Every structure is written in structure tokens, then in C-alpha cells.
Amino acid sequence: MRNGALAGLRRRSPVHGLDRRNLRPVEVLAQSVSTAAPAAGMATVPAIVATTAGTATVWSFVLATAVALAVGACIATFTRRMAAAGSLYSLTAKGLGPGAAFACGAALLAGYAVLLMAALAGAALYTDAFLTRLGLAAPPAVGAATVVVLAALAGGLVLRGVRVSARIVLAVEAVSITVMLVIFGVLLAGPPAPPAPAAATPGWSLVGVAAGVLPALGAFIGFEAATALGVEARKPFVSVPRAVLGTAGLVGLLSLLAAHTQVVGFAGALGGQPEPVVTLAAAHGTPWLAVLLDLGIATSFVACTLATTNALVRVLFSMARDRIVPRPMGATHGRYRTPHVAIAVAVPVGAAVPAALFLAGVPGLTVLRGLLSVATAGYLVAYLLVALAAPLFLHRIGELTPAPVVVTALAVPVLAGVCGVFVVSALGGAVPIVLGALVLAALAWYAVLRVRRPRELAAIGVYDEPSAADVHTASGPAGRAR
């Protein structure tokens, strides 16, 4: 042995090539917050929840926040012990094994990829709404062009380096949240001028609270995205779990503020309102808030585009290092240390779908809602699997205590119920067809891997490991390498 301290260490980490240990905690937090896009959720989700929850809307958000925190606690079980770029895909592999990890990875890929499409569509939609309020209405082709331009810009920034994209995400998301806090602060502090109820909505009931949890959870999707930056975070075992749990708490608080403001403003008739915040602003004599609202939502979707691209390409990178997607996607740029091949593949695909739908004349709001529904399904499956994996992982490493078992026992039935409600509520539309096609594609992909690459499939779940170059020694190869 040349150096006893280096015995058993790899020459380099399995995830070498990424910009390891370079992101500050606040930049890691921004990744999760931006993927969840809380500013957009504050303006749109409460009215959707109120359709089924009625006056119990706020309590549906309370329960959804509790579920998100429970899932975040399950994720933290892993991220306090390992740093990975594959997000929940890599984590699930350590608790449930390769089959469930593959399912989690496929669901997460669908979630991130379709959320990227939705973010591009949302940014284009609300940019168009912003310009329309200024008297600059544009044809659908401009919406498609906006999607392409934003995608190219996002791809370039994500390629340029994780710190560059993280700082831009942090700045843009800070602006969007500040804008939304100003809007809701004005609505809460202004003179009482509730608009006339537009339609009757259900009263308070436990059934209403439960029915509202599914759409309320839509405000949280993406809150786990910081786990994809585990390799690049300076203190991953601290900053990543704090970012995930902090994002769940922050999104919960912002959603509760937005829900309370709108429920009170509409005197219990929030459900079905197409533009609730705009309507409230007009009723309070502050129509200029509508312009600010569109600007805040558009910037939130721009930040979401960047953050989601960051997470998506790192999951592809990890799958490529596991050799379950083409190996070139596991390559990294020699100068920028980002997965440039994965970026070159993912970004054009993410832009093509919403751009094609805009060109086909599909209304922007229809595009956005359909894409968000598909993305939500992917996230729910991934959250369910990682919650199941957490106590099994702890048992495997001999650190299981009662608390993680209780958290999983509370979170998993709720998530399973929400998944069931989602399937039933989507019947009759295009979403089940899209989901069915994605499931068939994943099954076919899994069957091919079982036949052609069983050894690689059994070993999936790559994560960062200390290498010889990471160890400080007074002399020897590691010392010279530093």
C-alpha cells in the first residue's frame, strides 16, 4: 500500500466532472424554491383548490404542507448521509433496490421534463399577458418564438456553469417573490372591497379538506430539486436537507398567505374564479396590480425554467453514469463542468412540445394546465417511492429509529390516496392517455435493460464518494494532487 490513509479509495469519484463542492447554501436553496415556482402557485392554485375544498381551502394547504414536510423529512434521511446528482432516483435505489429506483427515475424524468415544458409555456403565456395589458397583443407564433428563445437562453446559462445559473435563479426568484408579497400585502392592507360572489362553492368539511389536498400539493412539486445539486453543494449533508425542508415550509407559508387573502376577498366564493387576484385588485381600486402580477408570475416561471433544467440534466447525467441511458449524457464540459450533452438533448425536447402546441393554436392556459397535470403525476410517484425507501434504507445501515417509521406511515397512505384521486379526476381527458404512453415506454425501457444490461441495472444509484484526490496528506499522490 503506497499510503495507508488512501487504502480503498477510488482514484476519482463516480460523478467526477461536475463542479464539486462549489455552491453556497443560499444558492442550493434557490434551486428548490425556483423549481417549485411559489409566485405562480400563489396566484393560480388557491382558486383550483377552492373548486373542491370551498371554504376549507386554507386547511387543505395546511395538510398539503404537512405532507410536503413529511416527504422532505424522508428525503433528508438520505441527504444527511450521501450526496448525489440523481435526486430521488439515486436515493430510492439505496432503500428499495433497482426496480423501484428505475420506476422513481422514470417518474422523476417525466416530472422534470414536463415541468420544464410547463415553465416555458407559463413564462411565454404570462409574458404575453403582461404585454397585452400594456396594449401590445401578439399572435400565437410569438408565444412559440418566446418559448424557443427562453429555452435557448436557459440552456446557455445552465451550460455556462452551475454557479452562474444558481445566482441568476436566486436573483430572479427573489424578485418574483418580492413582487407577490407586495401584491398580497396591498390586498390585505387595503380597504375592504370584496367582489360579488361569482358562484356558490362548498362549505367547510373534512371531505373538502381531503379533496383539496391533491391540487394543493401541485404548489409544492419541485421542492426537492436541491437534491440534484448534492455533488456541487459546499456542505451537502447540511445545505441540501435544509434547502428541501426550508422550501416546503416557505412554499407552505406563501400558499397559506395567498389562500387566506383570496378566500377572505371572495367571501367564500373563490372556486372557479379565472383570475382571482386580478379581480380582487380591480375590486380594491388597484388595477395596476394586475400588471405587476403578470410580471411576477412570468419571472417566477423563468426562474423555474433554469432550476428545472439544472435538475433534469443531472438526473440524466446520473442515469448515464449508471449506463441505463446513452453514456454520452454522462459527459461533462471540460471548462464549465456541466453535463453539456444532457443539456443539448433535454432543452430542445423541452422547448419543442410547448412551441408546437402554441403553433397548433391550443390556448396557452390549456397547455399550461395539461403539462402541470402530467408533471404532478410524475412527482407524486417519485415522492411515494422515496418515502417508502427511507426507513428501509435506515434499517439496512443499522440506524432505524421509530420517528422515520412514523413519518413514512403518515405520508405514504396520504400520497397513495392522492395518487388514486389524481387518476380518477383525470379520467376522460388527454392526461391519462399521455400518462399511459409514458408508462408503456418506461416498461419497454426496463424490459430492454433487464435483457441487455442486467448487471448495470442491478447496480444503479450512483452517488459521490471520497476519492484519493479529496484526502489531504502531507505527502504522496493525494498531497500532490491537491
Side-chain angles (χ1 to χ4, degrees):
M1 184 172 65
R2 289 183 303 175
N3 190 326
L6 304 182
L9 290 179
R10 294 173 180 262
R11 186 174 63 86
R12 59 186 183 180
S13 168
V15 290
H16 63 87
L18 294 175
D19 194 8
R20 297 173 71 207
R21 309 290 180 263
N22 202 18
L23 280 181
R24 295 179 299 163
V26 69
E27 293 166 340
V28 177
L29 174 65
Q31 171 74 15
S32 268
V33 173
S34 297
T35 309
M42 290 172 73
T44 57
V45 177
I48 300 172
V49 175
T51 303
T52 52
T55 54
T57 295
V58 172
W59 287 103
S60 293
F61 276 106
V62 170
L63 187 54
T65 303
V67 173
L69 287 170
V71 173
C74 294
I75 294 170
T77 296
F78 295 95
T79 53
R80 290 192 182 104
R81 296 168 173 83
M82 57 185 285
S87 190
L88 308 189
Y89 154 73
S90 300
L91 307 185
T92 301
K94 304 306 172 189
L96 292 178
F102 178 87
C104 183
L108 201 60
L109 269 187
Y112 281 139
V114 181
L115 183 60
L116 170 60
M117 299 172 190
L120 288 168
L125 175 64
Y126 283 95
T127 299
D128 178 65
F130 173 73
L131 295 175
T132 300
R133 292 191 198 280
L134 298 179
L136 302 171
V142 174
T146 304
V147 166
V148 173
V149 170
L150 285 175
L153 183 62
L157 291 173
V158 170
L159 169 67
R160 182 60 181 77
V162 68
R163 290 201 73 183
V164 173
S165 58
R167 287 175 177 178
I168 293 174
V169 161
L170 177 62
V172 175
E173 193 57 48
V175 169
S176 67
I177 291 178
T178 301
V179 166
M180 299 308 287
L181 288 176
V182 168
I183 291 171
F184 283 92
V186 169
L187 292 178
L188 279 175
T201 52
W204 197 101
S205 70
L206 286 176
V207 175
V209 173
V213 172
L214 170 60
L217 278 174
F220 292 85
I221 61 170
F223 79 97
E224 81 305 320
T227 56
L229 298 181
V231 177
E232 290 143 300
R234 282 182 188 170
K235 298 179 179 178
F237 303 144
V238 176
S239 59
V240 172
R242 284 182 179 175
V244 172
L245 289 167
T247 301
L250 177 64
V251 172
L253 287 175
L254 293 175
S255 298
L256 288 171
L257 169 67
H260 171 73
T261 303
Q262 294 174 61
V263 167
V264 171
F266 282 96
L270 173 61
Q273 291 287 343
E275 292 186 307
V277 181
V278 173
T279 304
L280 282 177
H284 282 275
T286 52
W288 55 272
L289 284 181
V291 179
L292 204 58
L293 177 73
D294 291 332
L295 184 63
I297 296 176
T299 54
S300 184
F301 275 126
V302 169
C304 181
T305 298
L306 279 170
T308 305
T309 304
N310 267 326
L312 171 62
V313 299
R314 279 158 181 78
V315 174
L316 285 170
F317 163 87
S318 297
M319 288 182 161
R321 289 291 170 96
D322 283 334
R323 298 196 62 190
I324 64 171
V325 299
R327 292 184 69 178
M329 290 195 199
T332 52
H333 194 282
R335 179 178 179 185
Y336 301 135
R337 306 181 74 77
T338 50
H340 60 303
V341 178
I343 294 170
V345 172
V347 172
V349 172
V353 173
L357 292 172
F358 277 129
L359 287 175
V362 181
L365 202 54
T366 302
V367 172
L368 179 60
R369 288 179 174 173
L371 292 173
L372 286 176
S373 295
V374 175
T376 299
Y379 281 103
L380 288 176
V381 172
Y383 294 160
L384 177 63
L385 290 171
V386 80
L388 278 170
L392 297 173
F393 167 68
L394 290 174
H395 176 71
R396 188 169 64 79
I397 64 175
E399 297 181 13
L400 182 62
T401 58
V405 177
V406 172
V407 171
T408 294
L410 293 174
V412 167
V414 175
L415 286 169
V418 167
C419 288
V421 171
F422 179 88
V423 172
V424 173
S425 64
L427 291 176
V431 171
I433 299 173
V434 175
L435 292 177
L438 291 174
V439 170
L440 289 176
L443 289 173
W445 177 18
Y446 183 72
V448 170
L449 290 173
R450 284 290 301 267
V451 173
R452 301 186 62 177
R453 293 180 179 172
R455 293 179 60 184
E456 289 86 349
L457 185 62
I460 63 175
V462 66
Y463 63 97
D464 195 17
E465 298 178 33
S467 64
D470 295 325
V471 179
H472 291 276
T473 60
S475 60
R480 290 193 292 272
R482 300 292 299 180

